[in-house]
Amino acid sequence: MQTVNINTSKKYNVYIDKSFDENFPNIIKETVFSKKILIVSDNTVKELYFDKVKSIFEGLGFEVFDFVFSSNEEQKTLSTIEKIYRTLFENNFTKGDTIVALGGGIVSDTAGFAGATFLRGINCIYFPTTLLSMVDACVGGKTAVNTYFGKNQIGVIRQPDAVFIATDTLSTLENREFSCGMAEIIKTAMIKSESLFELLETKDFEDIKEDVISQCIKIKASVVEEDEFDTSKRLILNFGHTIAHAIEKKSDYEIKHGEAVAIGMSLITKRAVKNGLCDEDTLIRLNMLLHKYSLSCGAVCPVTELLPYIKRDKKNYLDNIKIALCEKIGQGYVKDFSYNDFVSFLTE
Ligand SMILES: NC(=O)c1ccc[n+]([C@@H]2O[C@H](COP(=O)([O-])OP(=O)(O)OC[C@H]3O[C@@H](n4cnc5c(N)ncnc54)[C@H](O)[C@@H]3O)[C@@H](O)[C@H]2O)c1
Ligand SMILES: [Zn+2]
């Protein structure tokens, strides 16, 4: 088992192990002190892993409740949050009790937001079960729900109390979801680590997965620790994301987050090459690595059709827009644009 310490305003650990039941029960016993827990999960994950996690908590003497929803972006909304609140109220949860998010990023973003706001915040621990949520969504404390106006538009930043990753849960993941996780891993390598990028280019993921997951978590943690509340340096984690969020919303979420991130990274890098801000070799290697993990980098629509969505992005502040770019592999940075300059950057 590996342990990664996260040194944000609230300090917590991410535990990475092969399975849920070997080392995690002892750690839970020592670190989770509530009486009741609410396991929030989705239909698919419930079938696969709920009984195992439930029996761990029951074996330790917790009273276990559950809230299960069909996790898709349409359900990642305030109306689901209200239903979670209702379950918590009806079962007399107190501030000392705990929410357990068991599932992918949709589950942890939703459960995390409910946990951050119920009674102004109760304990929250995450059991991520998708590759994407293991390497990205489970650390950093961003929680959010979608609105009619866009993705992740309502949320708070609040760190979880602990994260438990069992890598054997990846064995049941569909290929498409696996690729989505790879997109965030490639993003991490693009912005911060050429050695990780080379590892992904040369090795078989199956042989290096624990190492890759822990490297991604450490890199994300180091960025978040410097700018927990997302005012400057953290924006680098949004490499590819401004375009990705627009693509997701425009496709009515038919295109998944990771798939959109892949297209977004490729497109923004292509434009950076055109504007003399990145060399062509970086773009070629990026596109080849995306291809290796079955991620498309082709445009889904003319970029002008994405502009209305980009204008509404959370990273727009007044008329400015902050965009993460990579000068080379492993060297990401954030560049300020006026909105009009960014439109020219994308279209001319
Ligand atoms: N908070 C953050 O910092 C952050 C970072 C990145 C992404 N996100 C958010 O995360 C969401 C995407 O997360 P995701 O990609 O994990 O998607 P997800 O939660 O929708 O999970 C994808 C699918 O995989 C299924 N699944 C989950 N675990 C499984 C397993 N082990 N075996 C088989 N099936 C399994 C789920 O039921 C679901 O159908 C987006 O909403 C995105 O905005 C948040
Ligand atoms: Zn992302």
PDB file of all heavy atoms in Angstrom, residues 1-18:
ATOM      1  N   MET A   1       0.844  -1.208   0.000  1.00  0.00           N
ATOM      2  CA  MET A   1       0.000   0.000   0.000  1.00  0.00           C
ATOM      3  C   MET A   1       0.874   1.252   0.000  1.00  0.00           C
ATOM      4  O   MET A   1       1.905   1.277   0.653  1.00  0.00           O
ATOM      5  CB  MET A   1      -0.888   0.005   1.252  1.00  0.00           C
ATOM      6  CG  MET A   1      -1.911   1.123   1.221  1.00  0.00           C
ATOM      7  SD  MET A   1      -2.897   1.256   2.729  1.00  0.00           S
ATOM      8  CE  MET A   1      -1.712   1.940   3.858  1.00  0.00           C
ATOM      9  N   GLN A   2       0.450   2.251  -0.762  1.00  0.00           N
ATOM     10  CA  GLN A   2       1.152   3.545  -0.745  1.00  0.00           C
ATOM     11  C   GLN A   2       0.269   4.581  -0.056  1.00  0.00           C
ATOM     12  O   GLN A   2      -0.948   4.543  -0.188  1.00  0.00           O
ATOM     13  CB  GLN A   2       1.401   4.038  -2.163  1.00  0.00           C
ATOM     14  CG  GLN A   2       2.337   3.184  -2.978  1.00  0.00           C
ATOM     15  CD  GLN A   2       2.712   3.919  -4.267  1.00  0.00           C
ATOM     16  OE1 GLN A   2       3.066   5.084  -4.266  1.00  0.00           O
ATOM     17  NE2 GLN A   2       2.601   3.217  -5.389  1.00  0.00           N
ATOM     18  N   THR A   3       0.927   5.518   0.633  1.00  0.00           N
ATOM     19  CA  THR A   3       0.182   6.615   1.253  1.00  0.00           C
ATOM     20  C   THR A   3       0.735   7.932   0.727  1.00  0.00           C
ATOM     21  O   THR A   3       1.945   8.149   0.747  1.00  0.00           O
ATOM     22  CB  THR A   3       0.348   6.589   2.789  1.00  0.00           C
ATOM     23  OG1 THR A   3      -0.043   5.300   3.260  1.00  0.00           O
ATOM     24  CG2 THR A   3      -0.505   7.659   3.455  1.00  0.00           C
ATOM     25  N   VAL A   4      -0.149   8.775   0.226  1.00  0.00           N
ATOM     26  CA  VAL A   4       0.276  10.116  -0.217  1.00  0.00           C
ATOM     27  C   VAL A   4      -0.335  11.133   0.740  1.00  0.00           C
ATOM     28  O   VAL A   4      -1.555  11.141   0.949  1.00  0.00           O
ATOM     29  CB  VAL A   4      -0.196  10.405  -1.670  1.00  0.00           C
ATOM     30  CG1 VAL A   4       0.296  11.773  -2.130  1.00  0.00           C
ATOM     31  CG2 VAL A   4       0.251   9.319  -2.630  1.00  0.00           C
ATOM     32  N   ASN A   5       0.513  11.982   1.337  1.00  0.00           N
ATOM     33  CA  ASN A   5       0.006  13.025   2.254  1.00  0.00           C
ATOM     34  C   ASN A   5      -0.339  14.263   1.445  1.00  0.00           C
ATOM     35  O   ASN A   5       0.449  14.713   0.624  1.00  0.00           O
ATOM     36  CB  ASN A   5       1.067  13.441   3.284  1.00  0.00           C
ATOM     37  CG  ASN A   5       1.710  12.251   3.935  1.00  0.00           C
ATOM     38  OD1 ASN A   5       2.894  12.010   3.752  1.00  0.00           O
ATOM     39  ND2 ASN A   5       0.936  11.493   4.665  1.00  0.00           N
ATOM     40  N   ILE A   6      -1.518  14.805   1.705  1.00  0.00           N
ATOM     41  CA  ILE A   6      -1.919  16.046   1.022  1.00  0.00           C
ATOM     42  C   ILE A   6      -1.874  17.173   2.071  1.00  0.00           C
ATOM     43  O   ILE A   6      -2.568  17.103   3.088  1.00  0.00           O
ATOM     44  CB  ILE A   6      -3.350  15.932   0.442  1.00  0.00           C
ATOM     45  CG1 ILE A   6      -3.549  14.603  -0.323  1.00  0.00           C
ATOM     46  CG2 ILE A   6      -3.680  17.137  -0.435  1.00  0.00           C
ATOM     47  CD1 ILE A   6      -2.873  14.459  -1.630  1.00  0.00           C
ATOM     48  N   ASN A   7      -1.055  18.169   1.775  1.00  0.00           N
ATOM     49  CA  ASN A   7      -0.867  19.245   2.764  1.00  0.00           C
ATOM     50  C   ASN A   7      -1.619  20.513   2.386  1.00  0.00           C
ATOM     51  O   ASN A   7      -1.016  21.559   2.182  1.00  0.00           O
ATOM     52  CB  ASN A   7       0.631  19.544   2.922  1.00  0.00           C
ATOM     53  CG  ASN A   7       1.315  18.394   3.617  1.00  0.00           C
ATOM     54  OD1 ASN A   7       0.910  17.996   4.710  1.00  0.00           O
ATOM     55  ND2 ASN A   7       2.319  17.825   2.972  1.00  0.00           N
ATOM     56  N   THR A   8      -2.922  20.387   2.281  1.00  0.00           N
ATOM     57  CA  THR A   8      -3.752  21.570   2.038  1.00  0.00           C
ATOM     58  C   THR A   8      -4.166  22.148   3.400  1.00  0.00           C
ATOM     59  O   THR A   8      -3.697  21.675   4.429  1.00  0.00           O
ATOM     60  CB  THR A   8      -4.996  21.173   1.216  1.00  0.00           C
ATOM     61  OG1 THR A   8      -5.434  19.893   1.649  1.00  0.00           O
ATOM     62  CG2 THR A   8      -4.701  21.114  -0.255  1.00  0.00           C
ATOM     63  N   SER A   9      -5.090  23.131   3.390  1.00  0.00           N
ATOM     64  CA  SER A   9      -5.494  23.729   4.668  1.00  0.00           C
ATOM     65  C   SER A   9      -6.005  22.641   5.618  1.00  0.00           C
ATOM     66  O   SER A   9      -5.757  22.683   6.807  1.00  0.00           O
ATOM     67  CB  SER A   9      -6.565  24.797   4.437  1.00  0.00           C
ATOM     68  OG  SER A   9      -7.633  24.230   3.722  1.00  0.00           O
ATOM     69  N   LYS A  10      -6.734  21.685   5.062  1.00  0.00           N
ATOM     70  CA  LYS A  10      -7.042  20.475   5.845  1.00  0.00           C
ATOM     71  C   LYS A  10      -6.090  19.384   5.343  1.00  0.00           C
ATOM     72  O   LYS A  10      -6.021  19.127   4.139  1.00  0.00           O
ATOM     73  CB  LYS A  10      -8.486  20.048   5.596  1.00  0.00           C
ATOM     74  CG  LYS A  10      -8.888  18.824   6.393  1.00  0.00           C
ATOM     75  CD  LYS A  10     -10.051  18.106   5.759  1.00  0.00           C
ATOM     76  CE  LYS A  10     -11.380  18.735   6.111  1.00  0.00           C
ATOM     77  NZ  LYS A  10     -12.504  18.035   5.424  1.00  0.00           N
ATOM     78  N   LYS A  11      -5.335  18.773   6.247  1.00  0.00           N
ATOM     79  CA  LYS A  11      -4.384  17.737   5.816  1.00  0.00           C
ATOM     80  C   LYS A  11      -5.093  16.379   5.790  1.00  0.00           C
ATOM     81  O   LYS A  11      -5.890  16.089   6.679  1.00  0.00           O
ATOM     82  CB  LYS A  11      -3.196  17.686   6.776  1.00  0.00           C
ATOM     83  CG  LYS A  11      -2.551  19.051   6.909  1.00  0.00           C
ATOM     84  CD  LYS A  11      -1.120  19.008   7.295  1.00  0.00           C
ATOM     85  CE  LYS A  11      -0.515  20.404   7.378  1.00  0.00           C
ATOM     86  NZ  LYS A  11      -1.089  21.424   6.509  1.00  0.00           N
ATOM     87  N   TYR A  12      -4.825  15.608   4.761  1.00  0.00           N
ATOM     88  CA  TYR A  12      -5.433  14.280   4.704  1.00  0.00           C
ATOM     89  C   TYR A  12      -4.545  13.353   3.885  1.00  0.00           C
ATOM     90  O   TYR A  12      -3.582  13.796   3.259  1.00  0.00           O
ATOM     91  CB  TYR A  12      -6.856  14.343   4.111  1.00  0.00           C
ATOM     92  CG  TYR A  12      -6.951  14.916   2.712  1.00  0.00           C
ATOM     93  CD1 TYR A  12      -7.110  14.091   1.594  1.00  0.00           C
ATOM     94  CD2 TYR A  12      -6.907  16.292   2.487  1.00  0.00           C
ATOM     95  CE1 TYR A  12      -7.223  14.614   0.318  1.00  0.00           C
ATOM     96  CE2 TYR A  12      -7.008  16.823   1.213  1.00  0.00           C
ATOM     97  CZ  TYR A  12      -7.163  15.986   0.130  1.00  0.00           C
ATOM     98  OH  TYR A  12      -7.262  16.513  -1.130  1.00  0.00           O
ATOM     99  N   ASN A  13      -4.871  12.073   3.935  1.00  0.00           N
ATOM    100  CA  ASN A  13      -4.067  11.083   3.214  1.00  0.00           C
ATOM    101  C   ASN A  13      -4.867  10.419   2.107  1.00  0.00           C
ATOM    102  O   ASN A  13      -6.074  10.215   2.237  1.00  0.00           O
ATOM    103  CB  ASN A  13      -3.589   9.978   4.169  1.00  0.00           C
ATOM    104  CG  ASN A  13      -2.524  10.485   5.121  1.00  0.00           C
ATOM    105  OD1 ASN A  13      -1.817  11.454   4.817  1.00  0.00           O
ATOM    106  ND2 ASN A  13      -2.412   9.848   6.270  1.00  0.00           N
ATOM    107  N   VAL A  14      -4.148  10.068   1.044  1.00  0.00           N
ATOM    108  CA  VAL A  14      -4.711   9.211   0.004  1.00  0.00           C
ATOM    109  C   VAL A  14      -4.008   7.860   0.140  1.00  0.00           C
ATOM    110  O   VAL A  14      -2.779   7.795   0.101  1.00  0.00           O
ATOM    111  CB  VAL A  14      -4.456   9.790  -1.399  1.00  0.00           C
ATOM    112  CG1 VAL A  14      -5.045   8.867  -2.467  1.00  0.00           C
ATOM    113  CG2 VAL A  14      -5.019  11.199  -1.538  1.00  0.00           C
ATOM    114  N   TYR A  15      -4.778   6.807   0.351  1.00  0.00           N
ATOM    115  CA  TYR A  15      -4.227   5.457   0.487  1.00  0.00           C
ATOM    116  C   TYR A  15      -4.471   4.703  -0.820  1.00  0.00           C
ATOM    117  O   TYR A  15      -5.605   4.681  -1.318  1.00  0.00           O
ATOM    118  CB  TYR A  15      -4.908   4.715   1.649  1.00  0.00           C
ATOM    119  CG  TYR A  15      -4.815   5.476   2.960  1.00  0.00           C
ATOM    120  CD1 TYR A  15      -5.870   6.282   3.390  1.00  0.00           C
ATOM    121  CD2 TYR A  15      -3.664   5.417   3.752  1.00  0.00           C
ATOM    122  CE1 TYR A  15      -5.796   7.000   4.578  1.00  0.00           C
ATOM    123  CE2 TYR A  15      -3.577   6.132   4.941  1.00  0.00           C
ATOM    124  CZ  TYR A  15      -4.645   6.923   5.346  1.00  0.00           C
ATOM    125  OH  TYR A  15      -4.562   7.645   6.509  1.00  0.00           O
ATOM    126  N   ILE A  16      -3.411   4.124  -1.371  1.00  0.00           N
ATOM    127  CA  ILE A  16      -3.548   3.390  -2.645  1.00  0.00           C
ATOM    128  C   ILE A  16      -3.163   1.941  -2.389  1.00  0.00           C
ATOM    129  O   ILE A  16      -2.022   1.650  -2.002  1.00  0.00           O
ATOM    130  CB  ILE A  16      -2.618   3.983  -3.730  1.00  0.00           C
ATOM    131  CG1 ILE A  16      -2.833   5.501  -3.861  1.00  0.00           C
ATOM    132  CG2 ILE A  16      -2.845   3.291  -5.072  1.00  0.00           C
ATOM    133  CD1 ILE A  16      -1.736   6.213  -4.648  1.00  0.00           C
ATOM    134  N   ASP A  17      -4.128   1.047  -2.602  1.00  0.00           N
ATOM    135  CA  ASP A  17      -3.869  -0.377  -2.348  1.00  0.00           C
ATOM    136  C   ASP A  17      -4.512  -1.198  -3.466  1.00  0.00           C
ATOM    137  O   ASP A  17      -5.248  -0.657  -4.293  1.00  0.00           O
ATOM    138  CB  ASP A  17      -4.481  -0.761  -0.982  1.00  0.00           C
ATOM    139  CG  ASP A  17      -3.758  -1.950  -0.363  1.00  0.00           C
ATOM    140  OD1 ASP A  17      -2.856  -2.512  -1.006  1.00  0.00           O
ATOM    141  OD2 ASP A  17      -4.116  -2.313   0.774  1.00  0.00           O
ATOM    142  N   LYS A  18      -4.225  -2.479  -3.504  1.00  0.00           N
ATOM    143  CA  LYS A  18      -4.816  -3.319  -4.555  1.00  0.00           C
ATOM    144  C   LYS A  18      -6.313  -3.525  -4.332  1.00  0.00           C
ATOM    145  O   LYS A  18      -7.100  -3.492  -5.259  1.00  0.00           O
ATOM    146  CB  LYS A  18      -4.113  -4.676  -4.602  1.00  0.00           C
ATOM    147  CG  LYS A  18      -2.684  -4.573  -5.121  1.00  0.00           C
ATOM    148  CD  LYS A  18      -2.257  -5.817  -5.871  1.00  0.00           C
ATOM    149  CE  LYS A  18      -1.082  -5.580  -6.798  1.00  0.00           C
ATOM    150  NZ  LYS A  18      -0.135  -4.539  -6.408  1.00  0.00           N
TER     151      LYS A  18
END
